Structures are given as C-alpha cells and as structure tokens.
Amino acid sequence: MRVAQYLFTTLIVLSLNFFLPRMIPGDPLSTLTGDPSADMPILLTDEIRGKLLHYYGLDRPLGEQYILYLRNLARGDLGWSIYYKTPVAALLWKHLRWTLLLMGSTMIIYLSLGSFLGVLSAWHRGSKLDTGLLLGIFGLGSWPSFFTAMLLIIFFSVKLNLFPIGGATSIYTSGNNLTRALDIAHHLILPSLALVIAYLPSIYFLTRNATLSALGENYIRTARAKGLSESLVLWRHTLPNVFLPLITMIAMRLGFLVMGAITVEVVFSYPGMGTLIVEAFAARDYPVLQGAFLLITMAVLCCNLMAEILYNRLDPRVKQQ
Amino acid sequence: MRRSTLSLLLALVVLLLAGCMPALTPTPSPPPQAKPSATSTPQEPLTVTYPGRDWGYPSPFGFYPRGPGYIRMSLIFDTLVWKDEKGFIPWLADSWETSPDGLTWTFTLHPGVLWQDGQPLTAEDVAFTYAYFQKHTTAFKWCASLQDVDTIKAQDQQTVIITLKKPLAGFLADVAGTVPIIPKHIWEKVQDPAKFTSPEAVIGSGPFKLVQYSKEEGRYIYEANPSFFKGKPIIDRLVFVKVQDSALALKTGTVDAATFWGKEIEAVQKLLQEEGLRSVEGPSFWVLQLIFNTSKSPLDQPAFRHAIAQAIDRQKIVEQVTHGGAIVANLGIISPKTEWYNPNLPTYKYDPSKAREALQSLGLVGAKFTLLTTESFAREAELIKADLEKAGLQIEIKTGDRSTVDGLLRKNAFDLAINGHGGIANPSILDNPVWPASCYHNERYNELFAAQAQAVNAEERKKLVWQLQELLAEDLPVLTLYHPKMWCLYNPQVLDSWFYTAGGVDGGIPLPLNKLVFLAR
C-alpha cells in the first residue's frame, strides 16, 4: 500500500518535472542564440533552427518526447544538457558533491548546536542564559542569509584576509590529499558559517518549544514527584518526546541536502546545486532541470520514508494505529 | 599558520568526502605561490587572473555561444585573419586577395605553423574546417555566414581558394575573422562534434594551451604555448576564476583585471581613486532599445511612434539610471564608435507638449499599452512609463525573467518592450532591427540590407549602411535608448597591455581579452 503511494507520487512528480519547464515561455534555443548582455545575437535562419531543434529532439510532439524521456529514465539515462553540452548525470554529480559537503557539514553543526541550545534554554527557562540565547538567536536569525554572507566576506576575507572571498578550491593546490582537504575546508568555513547562522534559529526554537511543552506535562511532574534525579528526568522522560517533532523537521530539512542554498552559494560563488538550478532555469535547459528536480524529489521522498520508519520505532503509538 | 589550525577541524570531515571527489584535473606544476625559497626565484611564472564564470569547454563546439565563451576558445584556436585596435591584420593567413566580382578569395597561409600536438597546419586543415562547420550545424554560430560559401579548395600546402555563391561584403568579419581553424587529423574522425569533449578537442594552434577546466567552478587555466607561430606569449599563465563581485576581487588582488560597464560607473570611479589601478575605456557595442510591435495597431503608424519618441526623455534615462555610464543611442542602432555610424540622423528632441498634441490628433490619448521588460531594466521602464503617462498614454509594466521576455518577443506577443543586444559594430546586425521579435516588415529596408550585404566596394557599402540608418530613424521600428560605456580596470604591475579591439573581438565582443594583449608586439 505504502509502496504504491510512493510510486504514484513519483510518477506525478516526474510528469510535473517534464511538463512544467516546457510550459514557461522561452525555449532552450533562444538562450543558446544570444545573450544580449554579453555580445551579438546570433541570427538563425529557420532552416538551421529546424535542424537544431531536430538534433535535440525538440521538434517531436510533446507526448512523444515525454515517452522518450520516461524510457531513457528507466534505462538510467538522464540525457544530455543543451546549454552545458555535457551528460546531465555527470553535471549533477559535479555540483551535488559540493552541495553535499556544504549542506552536510552545515547541517551537522546547526542541528546539534541548535537542539543542544534549545534544550539548554528550555531547561533553564526564564534565566539570564535563556533570555540571552533567545534574544541572540532571534537577532541572528532575522538577517537575510546573503547579507550575513556578505558581512562575513567583508570582515573575514577583505579586512582580516583570513579566508578566500569565494570558490570551493584554490587555483593551485599541490597534489597531496591532506593539503587538498585543508584547502577545501578553508573555502568551506565562511559559507558554512553563514548557513549555520541562517538555519540555527528554526531548530533552536523548535527544540525549545518542544522541550517546554514536554516539561509541562503531567508525566514529568510524576517523575519529579517520584524523586527521580534531574538528569533522569531530562534524558529518560523529556528528550524522547522532543525527538518526535525534531525528526519531522530534520526529515524535511534533509531535502535541502541536495537542493543547495542558492543565495549563499551565489555570494560565495560556491559550485553547488542551487547555482546550477538557477542557471539551468534561465537557460531553459530542460534535461538539466528534469534531472535536478528528479534528484530533489527522490531525496525528499526518501527522507519521508526514513522519517516514517523512525517514527514507528520511536513512537509505539504510531505502530498500534 | 592560523588558517590551517582553523581549517584542521573541518579538514577531517572533508577528507572523507575528498576521497570521493575525482582528482579534479592534473594540477599544473609547479604551483606559483608554493615557492618560498628566497635565494633562487629566477623565474616566477607570470600569471594573469581574470574574473569569469563557466562558458563551456573551450573547443569550437563546446563553448556556450556567447562572447566570453568565444574568447576562451579563441585563446586556443586561430582564424585566418584577426583584429587589433585598428582593424584587420594578417593572422594564419599572411595575405589575401579578392577577385573583382568579390566571389573568389585567395588566402596565403603563414609558413611553418604547428598544431599544439606538433603536426603542421596546412591549407588542407582550412579547407576541412570550413566544410566541417557547414556540415555540422551544432556550431550554429557560423552557419548563417558559411551558407554563402560555395567551394573551398586547398590549392597547395599554403594556398586556400574560397568561392562564394554571392558577394559577401562582411566576408572578413563574418567568416575569415571568426571561424576557428581546427586540425583535420583530429576532427575528421569525429561524428558528433557537440559531444566530443576529450582533451584532443582543445588542440589548436593558438598562443595558449588549456591545462585545467572545471565546469562547476567556472575555472580555466591556460599555459603559454612556447611554439606559437607569433612568438611565446609575454605571460606564462592565464587564469579565469569565478568571483561574485569583481570590484571586491580586484581590491583583494584575487584578480588582476576586470571589466565594468554602464551603471557600474560609480564602483569604477571609487576603485580608481582608492587602489593603484588603471583603466582603459571602450565602447560596449551594445544598445538598449524600446521595441514597438509594428504589426499591431496603432503601433503600426509611424506618426504614433514619432510621438512616443518625442515623449521620452532619453537624456534623463542616461543621467538618472546610468549616472553618465552611457551615451544617448544612435537612432540608427549602429554604434557611434564605428566607421559605419551615420551622424546626420533626426533626433526627435524631447518635447512632451508636442507629443501630446500629436497623440490628440491621432485620437490616442488615454490608449492603454503594456511595456514588457526584464528586472534589470525596471528603472528604465519606470521612467518611460512616467514620460508616456505625462503625454497621455496608459502604460502597464510587465516584468519577466530573461527567457520569458525573450520567448514573448519571439512570438510577437507584446506592445512595447525594452530589450538590449550587442553586436552593433557590425552592419550585419541590422538584418532584423527588432530582434528577437519579428514584427517589422519593410520591403525597402530589406532591399537596402541585401544590397549592402553584397556590396563589394567599401565606400558603396558604407553609403548603403547610412541609408539603412536613415530609414530606421525615420520609420522608427525601435526607439534606441542608450549605449553603455565599458571599462577595463587592471593592475599595471601585472600586465599593462590591455586594449579594446576595433569593432570588438570577433563580431563585436566588447571585452579587452584579445589574445594580442598577451603577445609581444
């Protein structure tokens, strides 16, 4: 039953991925043949235009293109990018690995830090620590992320000259793996920091609220009345109930792992998925758009599935239903 | 060092992932900054870094067909003739001749030119190249001009004879000076050139060799070709890196030169005051124009278009939007910074009361129109809207992203639209003054255009191009708004030879990245 549901969703999304980009005005050829901001337009005769459309298979009826798309997809072939002139799968992987690195490291930091601070804040509700955290994180979270990113660049890269102003690697790195890793990390710190600052508040507030509401429950009062130690109250009775909303949130957030963070990527010229999707959209590069959206859909569906499974394990009530 | 301690923590995480990153590319050796030895630094490689982004694999079929993509390819591949700041100069061809009827062109190649793999470049390669580009339309950049080439023959090792189906006034500009010559011994085996991306695809005869290309990072590293037939370049390495903010990158020394244009004039002035930078100014060969949908009533009436032209204060747009980073445009589209420019055109002086009278007599006061534009020209659109509403029209601004606007223009689904394009150094651009729309039809215009395209005599062609401009200014299918200026800011200590090419590199690329900049002259 569940499997059928997931399959059905996938099919719908696949079709949307195919038809939506094609419904927007503009076509891949028009962006291929002239960007007014850069140089002269290329004047295409109808004959050559026809040949090009034929070469990319864009002259066939939409239904036929759709079936061809599905058939290729079934064979694991994501197609050939019209704008980037390269296989879509390879292109996606080149960007995906950077996004996984950036979003992965960011996520580990903000999830652990955010939930830790959230529990801390709730546990010491009303104290100076709580108020301080609340105000501080609320303040940080109200900056738009591209603005934080630019401030970080101006301060750490231009004024202090500690970090590069953008990119993912240096132009020259000597061959050995450790120096390369150091170099990649060096480029990763600022964008990662900008994203941690941007994403921290939501997870912090969620954890704080969940913890507070759990702490207000009768079973906590009972636990305390039983004379359990405070750490037992926290670990055994409070936190398990905080996990549930947290997991929903994390599962939703995991989708971002493959989507990238457009604004921060742009400010740091970081070669992630966000930049790719924006560019491919501007170029109306249908195969790349289809591939990228497919990837995101798959990631989100997988995360959903994982969350469901985890829920079953963590919350016996779900299983009984 | 402090930065390494900071990085160490993350490095561990990264090491894991670094394992699954494929070795990006062979790293050029030796790294320039990694030579700390104070005693023996006889030859630190001279590197010039320039900002950019991904413009595709720099093979003749791989680059994205835009100016910066062509530039990246042109560093590796040569053409028969080339341009400097004054005009055409011999390149792969030492000399050339035309028959009196303009139908036959004979090129004599420079002797002893070698491909980067050591093979000799001969007339056979040239003949092969032209035929190959005619056959494979995926290199559509050159298709239109190559259609008029009838035969191409290698008479001997060094002589190429090209015959045309009809005289081509722009043959040097549109064919000989733009089509890159490719090695026959490599490409003759290639069936689908658009998918040929092996390292062999970037073996050319030019001054630079590609040593690294990273698509996702938009990075190109070129090394000087020591056996280049015009001599080894004066720099050892040319690097393009992706940066978000060119001004910031210049300031931090991340790049050694960068270009700015039009509205960026304030950043340019600030940079020039603060840093030890120099600049060269050049024309952009670019025009922003208000396109009228001349296939739609009442926009099909020239009198109405004249009234609109009088209602719009173009000078004010230049001042308020570009802050002086542009000049008011030539109504004949062609850039005033070229030999083709006709300076004697009517200008339709800004006169709101006259415009209003004209609209009244046409009975169009209160008529409603939409004005289509992209977000980049929203301010121009606002000013135009205000001016037109003052004259008595009702304007609704519609904004879309570039491709959307482009798509609507191609379908002629608009009333008024703001759109810009480059290439106005070359009269061929006048083929369709309302590009990318196709709403303008005028028999006399088409005749004039065809006549100038086949004019063998330069003076005669110029006369015809002038008449075309007159006709445009009279009939006004578009109201041109402004031509932006361009600046190249550079650090003179690294390289001091930047210049802007006459009429732009290739057919009008307004960038100072002519390969001659990097050669001893």
Side-chain angles (χ1 to χ4, degrees), chain B residues 101-124:
Chain B
D101 60 2
L103 286 174
T104 310
W105 287 75
T106 310
F107 289 88
T108 309
L109 300 188
H110 189 83
V113 179
L114 294 180
W115 293 108
Q116 289 169 0
D117 63 0
Q119 303 271 337
L121 186 155
T122 66
E124 275 294 323

PDB file of all heavy atoms in Angstrom, chain B residues 101-124:
ATOM      1  N   ASP B 101      34.916  40.549 -58.912  1.00  0.00           N
ATOM      2  CA  ASP B 101      33.483  40.334 -58.682  1.00  0.00           C
ATOM      3  C   ASP B 101      33.190  39.973 -57.222  1.00  0.00           C
ATOM      4  O   ASP B 101      32.035  39.765 -56.843  1.00  0.00           O
ATOM      5  CB  ASP B 101      32.943  39.251 -59.630  1.00  0.00           C
ATOM      6  CG  ASP B 101      33.648  37.910 -59.430  1.00  0.00           C
ATOM      7  OD1 ASP B 101      34.521  37.825 -58.526  1.00  0.00           O
ATOM      8  OD2 ASP B 101      33.325  36.964 -60.162  1.00  0.00           O
ATOM      9  N   GLY B 102      34.224  39.858 -56.400  1.00  0.00           N
ATOM     10  CA  GLY B 102      34.022  39.583 -54.988  1.00  0.00           C
ATOM     11  C   GLY B 102      33.638  38.155 -54.691  1.00  0.00           C
ATOM     12  O   GLY B 102      33.272  37.830 -53.559  1.00  0.00           O
ATOM     13  N   LEU B 103      33.726  37.281 -55.694  1.00  0.00           N
ATOM     14  CA  LEU B 103      33.261  35.913 -55.476  1.00  0.00           C
ATOM     15  C   LEU B 103      34.374  34.952 -55.088  1.00  0.00           C
ATOM     16  O   LEU B 103      34.112  33.880 -54.565  1.00  0.00           O
ATOM     17  CB  LEU B 103      32.550  35.392 -56.744  1.00  0.00           C
ATOM     18  CG  LEU B 103      31.165  35.981 -56.972  1.00  0.00           C
ATOM     19  CD1 LEU B 103      30.603  35.543 -58.310  1.00  0.00           C
ATOM     20  CD2 LEU B 103      30.215  35.583 -55.849  1.00  0.00           C
ATOM     21  N   THR B 104      35.621  35.318 -55.365  1.00  0.00           N
ATOM     22  CA  THR B 104      36.722  34.411 -55.055  1.00  0.00           C
ATOM     23  C   THR B 104      37.702  35.072 -54.093  1.00  0.00           C
ATOM     24  O   THR B 104      38.122  36.209 -54.311  1.00  0.00           O
ATOM     25  CB  THR B 104      37.478  34.017 -56.341  1.00  0.00           C
ATOM     26  OG1 THR B 104      36.511  33.598 -57.300  1.00  0.00           O
ATOM     27  CG2 THR B 104      38.459  32.889 -56.068  1.00  0.00           C
ATOM     28  N   TRP B 105      38.043  34.358 -53.043  1.00  0.00           N
ATOM     29  CA  TRP B 105      39.007  34.859 -52.065  1.00  0.00           C
ATOM     30  C   TRP B 105      40.184  33.879 -52.033  1.00  0.00           C
ATOM     31  O   TRP B 105      39.984  32.674 -51.925  1.00  0.00           O
ATOM     32  CB  TRP B 105      38.384  34.958 -50.671  1.00  0.00           C
ATOM     33  CG  TRP B 105      37.410  36.077 -50.523  1.00  0.00           C
ATOM     34  CD1 TRP B 105      36.142  36.125 -51.004  1.00  0.00           C
ATOM     35  CD2 TRP B 105      37.631  37.318 -49.836  1.00  0.00           C
ATOM     36  NE1 TRP B 105      35.540  37.319 -50.667  1.00  0.00           N
ATOM     37  CE2 TRP B 105      36.435  38.063 -49.938  1.00  0.00           C
ATOM     38  CE3 TRP B 105      38.710  37.879 -49.136  1.00  0.00           C
ATOM     39  CZ2 TRP B 105      36.291  39.337 -49.376  1.00  0.00           C
ATOM     40  CZ3 TRP B 105      38.557  39.133 -48.575  1.00  0.00           C
ATOM     41  CH2 TRP B 105      37.358  39.869 -48.701  1.00  0.00           C
ATOM     42  N   THR B 106      41.385  34.413 -52.119  1.00  0.00           N
ATOM     43  CA  THR B 106      42.567  33.564 -52.060  1.00  0.00           C
ATOM     44  C   THR B 106      43.399  33.954 -50.834  1.00  0.00           C
ATOM     45  O   THR B 106      43.771  35.121 -50.675  1.00  0.00           O
ATOM     46  CB  THR B 106      43.430  33.725 -53.327  1.00  0.00           C
ATOM     47  OG1 THR B 106      42.564  33.582 -54.449  1.00  0.00           O
ATOM     48  CG2 THR B 106      44.523  32.683 -53.371  1.00  0.00           C
ATOM     49  N   PHE B 107      43.651  32.979 -49.976  1.00  0.00           N
ATOM     50  CA  PHE B 107      44.441  33.243 -48.769  1.00  0.00           C
ATOM     51  C   PHE B 107      45.773  32.510 -48.863  1.00  0.00           C
ATOM     52  O   PHE B 107      45.815  31.339 -49.245  1.00  0.00           O
ATOM     53  CB  PHE B 107      43.693  32.748 -47.531  1.00  0.00           C
ATOM     54  CG  PHE B 107      42.497  33.571 -47.184  1.00  0.00           C
ATOM     55  CD1 PHE B 107      41.249  33.295 -47.740  1.00  0.00           C
ATOM     56  CD2 PHE B 107      42.604  34.628 -46.294  1.00  0.00           C
ATOM     57  CE1 PHE B 107      40.145  34.059 -47.417  1.00  0.00           C
ATOM     58  CE2 PHE B 107      41.499  35.403 -45.964  1.00  0.00           C
ATOM     59  CZ  PHE B 107      40.265  35.109 -46.530  1.00  0.00           C
ATOM     60  N   THR B 108      46.851  33.207 -48.494  1.00  0.00           N
ATOM     61  CA  THR B 108      48.160  32.548 -48.427  1.00  0.00           C
ATOM     62  C   THR B 108      48.526  32.380 -46.957  1.00  0.00           C
ATOM     63  O   THR B 108      48.600  33.357 -46.205  1.00  0.00           O
ATOM     64  CB  THR B 108      49.231  33.402 -49.129  1.00  0.00           C
ATOM     65  OG1 THR B 108      48.735  33.739 -50.423  1.00  0.00           O
ATOM     66  CG2 THR B 108      50.523  32.636 -49.245  1.00  0.00           C
ATOM     67  N   LEU B 109      48.723  31.142 -46.560  1.00  0.00           N
ATOM     68  CA  LEU B 109      48.948  30.877 -45.139  1.00  0.00           C
ATOM     69  C   LEU B 109      50.381  31.166 -44.717  1.00  0.00           C
ATOM     70  O   LEU B 109      51.318  31.060 -45.515  1.00  0.00           O
ATOM     71  CB  LEU B 109      48.623  29.410 -44.818  1.00  0.00           C
ATOM     72  CG  LEU B 109      47.207  28.938 -45.086  1.00  0.00           C
ATOM     73  CD1 LEU B 109      47.010  27.539 -44.529  1.00  0.00           C
ATOM     74  CD2 LEU B 109      46.192  29.887 -44.457  1.00  0.00           C
ATOM     75  N   HIS B 110      50.531  31.493 -43.452  1.00  0.00           N
ATOM     76  CA  HIS B 110      51.852  31.679 -42.859  1.00  0.00           C
ATOM     77  C   HIS B 110      52.568  30.324 -42.866  1.00  0.00           C
ATOM     78  O   HIS B 110      51.978  29.322 -42.481  1.00  0.00           O
ATOM     79  CB  HIS B 110      51.670  32.187 -41.419  1.00  0.00           C
ATOM     80  CG  HIS B 110      52.941  32.621 -40.775  1.00  0.00           C
ATOM     81  ND1 HIS B 110      53.486  33.861 -40.972  1.00  0.00           N
ATOM     82  CD2 HIS B 110      53.779  31.970 -39.935  1.00  0.00           C
ATOM     83  CE1 HIS B 110      54.597  33.963 -40.265  1.00  0.00           C
ATOM     84  NE2 HIS B 110      54.806  32.833 -39.635  1.00  0.00           N
ATOM     85  N   PRO B 111      53.829  30.310 -43.296  1.00  0.00           N
ATOM     86  CA  PRO B 111      54.507  29.010 -43.354  1.00  0.00           C
ATOM     87  C   PRO B 111      54.927  28.522 -41.960  1.00  0.00           C
ATOM     88  O   PRO B 111      55.186  29.324 -41.069  1.00  0.00           O
ATOM     89  CB  PRO B 111      55.746  29.315 -44.206  1.00  0.00           C
ATOM     90  CG  PRO B 111      55.978  30.777 -44.044  1.00  0.00           C
ATOM     91  CD  PRO B 111      54.647  31.415 -43.780  1.00  0.00           C
ATOM     92  N   GLY B 112      54.968  27.215 -41.809  1.00  0.00           N
ATOM     93  CA  GLY B 112      55.560  26.617 -40.611  1.00  0.00           C
ATOM     94  C   GLY B 112      54.719  26.698 -39.351  1.00  0.00           C
ATOM     95  O   GLY B 112      55.252  26.592 -38.253  1.00  0.00           O
ATOM     96  N   VAL B 113      53.397  26.898 -39.478  1.00  0.00           N
ATOM     97  CA  VAL B 113      52.564  26.931 -38.276  1.00  0.00           C
ATOM     98  C   VAL B 113      52.342  25.500 -37.797  1.00  0.00           C
ATOM     99  O   VAL B 113      52.074  24.597 -38.597  1.00  0.00           O
ATOM    100  CB  VAL B 113      51.215  27.605 -38.562  1.00  0.00           C
ATOM    101  CG1 VAL B 113      50.350  27.610 -37.315  1.00  0.00           C
ATOM    102  CG2 VAL B 113      51.416  29.019 -39.075  1.00  0.00           C
ATOM    103  N   LEU B 114      52.450  25.292 -36.493  1.00  0.00           N
ATOM    104  CA  LEU B 114      52.270  23.947 -35.945  1.00  0.00           C
ATOM    105  C   LEU B 114      51.034  23.890 -35.052  1.00  0.00           C
ATOM    106  O   LEU B 114      50.702  24.848 -34.356  1.00  0.00           O
ATOM    107  CB  LEU B 114      53.478  23.553 -35.091  1.00  0.00           C
ATOM    108  CG  LEU B 114      54.807  23.372 -35.814  1.00  0.00           C
ATOM    109  CD1 LEU B 114      55.881  22.974 -34.822  1.00  0.00           C
ATOM    110  CD2 LEU B 114      54.687  22.318 -36.921  1.00  0.00           C
ATOM    111  N   TRP B 115      50.354  22.753 -35.080  1.00  0.00           N
ATOM    112  CA  TRP B 115      49.333  22.486 -34.088  1.00  0.00           C
ATOM    113  C   TRP B 115      50.012  22.227 -32.759  1.00  0.00           C
ATOM    114  O   TRP B 115      51.200  21.899 -32.716  1.00  0.00           O
ATOM    115  CB  TRP B 115      48.492  21.262 -34.482  1.00  0.00           C
ATOM    116  CG  TRP B 115      47.671  21.491 -35.701  1.00  0.00           C
ATOM    117  CD1 TRP B 115      47.886  20.955 -36.933  1.00  0.00           C
ATOM    118  CD2 TRP B 115      46.506  22.315 -35.815  1.00  0.00           C
ATOM    119  NE1 TRP B 115      46.937  21.398 -37.821  1.00  0.00           N
ATOM    120  CE2 TRP B 115      46.076  22.240 -37.158  1.00  0.00           C
ATOM    121  CE3 TRP B 115      45.797  23.130 -34.928  1.00  0.00           C
ATOM    122  CZ2 TRP B 115      44.959  22.924 -37.628  1.00  0.00           C
ATOM    123  CZ3 TRP B 115      44.693  23.818 -35.385  1.00  0.00           C
ATOM    124  CH2 TRP B 115      44.278  23.712 -36.720  1.00  0.00           C
ATOM    125  N   GLN B 116      49.252  22.308 -31.670  1.00  0.00           N
ATOM    126  CA  GLN B 116      49.870  22.129 -30.355  1.00  0.00           C
ATOM    127  C   GLN B 116      50.342  20.698 -30.126  1.00  0.00           C
ATOM    128  O   GLN B 116      51.074  20.435 -29.180  1.00  0.00           O
ATOM    129  CB  GLN B 116      48.901  22.588 -29.262  1.00  0.00           C
ATOM    130  CG  GLN B 116      48.759  24.109 -29.265  1.00  0.00           C
ATOM    131  CD  GLN B 116      47.635  24.619 -28.392  1.00  0.00           C
ATOM    132  OE1 GLN B 116      46.937  23.845 -27.757  1.00  0.00           O
ATOM    133  NE2 GLN B 116      47.458  25.930 -28.354  1.00  0.00           N
ATOM    134  N   ASP B 117      49.926  19.759 -30.984  1.00  0.00           N
ATOM    135  CA  ASP B 117      50.457  18.405 -30.864  1.00  0.00           C
ATOM    136  C   ASP B 117      51.629  18.167 -31.806  1.00  0.00           C
ATOM    137  O   ASP B 117      52.072  17.037 -31.982  1.00  0.00           O
ATOM    138  CB  ASP B 117      49.344  17.366 -31.083  1.00  0.00           C
ATOM    139  CG  ASP B 117      48.755  17.437 -32.486  1.00  0.00           C
ATOM    140  OD1 ASP B 117      49.207  18.286 -33.293  1.00  0.00           O
ATOM    141  OD2 ASP B 117      47.844  16.647 -32.780  1.00  0.00           O
ATOM    142  N   GLY B 118      52.114  19.231 -32.436  1.00  0.00           N
ATOM    143  CA  GLY B 118      53.319  19.110 -33.234  1.00  0.00           C
ATOM    144  C   GLY B 118      53.096  18.898 -34.725  1.00  0.00           C
ATOM    145  O   GLY B 118      54.030  18.998 -35.512  1.00  0.00           O
ATOM    146  N   GLN B 119      51.884  18.597 -35.143  1.00  0.00           N
ATOM    147  CA  GLN B 119      51.595  18.398 -36.566  1.00  0.00           C
ATOM    148  C   GLN B 119      51.581  19.753 -37.287  1.00  0.00           C
ATOM    149  O   GLN B 119      51.226  20.761 -36.690  1.00  0.00           O
ATOM    150  CB  GLN B 119      50.219  17.749 -36.729  1.00  0.00           C
ATOM    151  CG  GLN B 119      50.055  16.433 -36.018  1.00  0.00           C
ATOM    152  CD  GLN B 119      50.469  15.269 -36.887  1.00  0.00           C
ATOM    153  OE1 GLN B 119      50.480  15.377 -38.099  1.00  0.00           O
ATOM    154  NE2 GLN B 119      50.833  14.172 -36.257  1.00  0.00           N
ATOM    155  N   PRO B 120      51.935  19.774 -38.557  1.00  0.00           N
ATOM    156  CA  PRO B 120      51.889  21.056 -39.279  1.00  0.00           C
ATOM    157  C   PRO B 120      50.464  21.457 -39.669  1.00  0.00           C
ATOM    158  O   PRO B 120      49.628  20.595 -39.949  1.00  0.00           O
ATOM    159  CB  PRO B 120      52.730  20.770 -40.529  1.00  0.00           C
ATOM    160  CG  PRO B 120      52.656  19.305 -40.710  1.00  0.00           C
ATOM    161  CD  PRO B 120      52.507  18.693 -39.344  1.00  0.00           C
ATOM    162  N   LEU B 121      50.210  22.764 -39.652  1.00  0.00           N
ATOM    163  CA  LEU B 121      48.902  23.292 -40.072  1.00  0.00           C
ATOM    164  C   LEU B 121      49.000  23.670 -41.543  1.00  0.00           C
ATOM    165  O   LEU B 121      49.857  24.474 -41.918  1.00  0.00           O
ATOM    166  CB  LEU B 121      48.546  24.504 -39.220  1.00  0.00           C
ATOM    167  CG  LEU B 121      47.160  25.141 -39.379  1.00  0.00           C
ATOM    168  CD1 LEU B 121      46.796  25.871 -38.102  1.00  0.00           C
ATOM    169  CD2 LEU B 121      47.054  26.093 -40.555  1.00  0.00           C
ATOM    170  N   THR B 122      48.149  23.083 -42.362  1.00  0.00           N
ATOM    171  CA  THR B 122      48.241  23.349 -43.802  1.00  0.00           C
ATOM    172  C   THR B 122      46.891  23.812 -44.358  1.00  0.00           C
ATOM    173  O   THR B 122      45.888  23.852 -43.647  1.00  0.00           O
ATOM    174  CB  THR B 122      48.626  22.077 -44.581  1.00  0.00           C
ATOM    175  OG1 THR B 122      47.552  21.145 -44.466  1.00  0.00           O
ATOM    176  CG2 THR B 122      49.897  21.454 -44.031  1.00  0.00           C
ATOM    177  N   ALA B 123      46.912  24.135 -45.640  1.00  0.00           N
ATOM    178  CA  ALA B 123      45.694  24.574 -46.320  1.00  0.00           C
ATOM    179  C   ALA B 123      44.615  23.489 -46.252  1.00  0.00           C
ATOM    180  O   ALA B 123      43.415  23.795 -46.240  1.00  0.00           O
ATOM    181  CB  ALA B 123      46.008  24.913 -47.769  1.00  0.00           C
ATOM    182  N   GLU B 124      45.045  22.235 -46.174  1.00  0.00           N
ATOM    183  CA  GLU B 124      44.099  21.121 -46.045  1.00  0.00           C
ATOM    184  C   GLU B 124      43.219  21.299 -44.807  1.00  0.00           C
ATOM    185  O   GLU B 124      42.019  21.039 -44.827  1.00  0.00           O
ATOM    186  CB  GLU B 124      44.869  19.799 -45.899  1.00  0.00           C
ATOM    187  CG  GLU B 124      45.293  19.162 -47.197  1.00  0.00           C
ATOM    188  CD  GLU B 124      44.095  18.708 -48.001  1.00  0.00           C
ATOM    189  OE1 GLU B 124      43.113  18.243 -47.393  1.00  0.00           O
ATOM    190  OE2 GLU B 124      44.146  18.852 -49.241  1.00  0.00           O
TER     191      GLU B 124
END
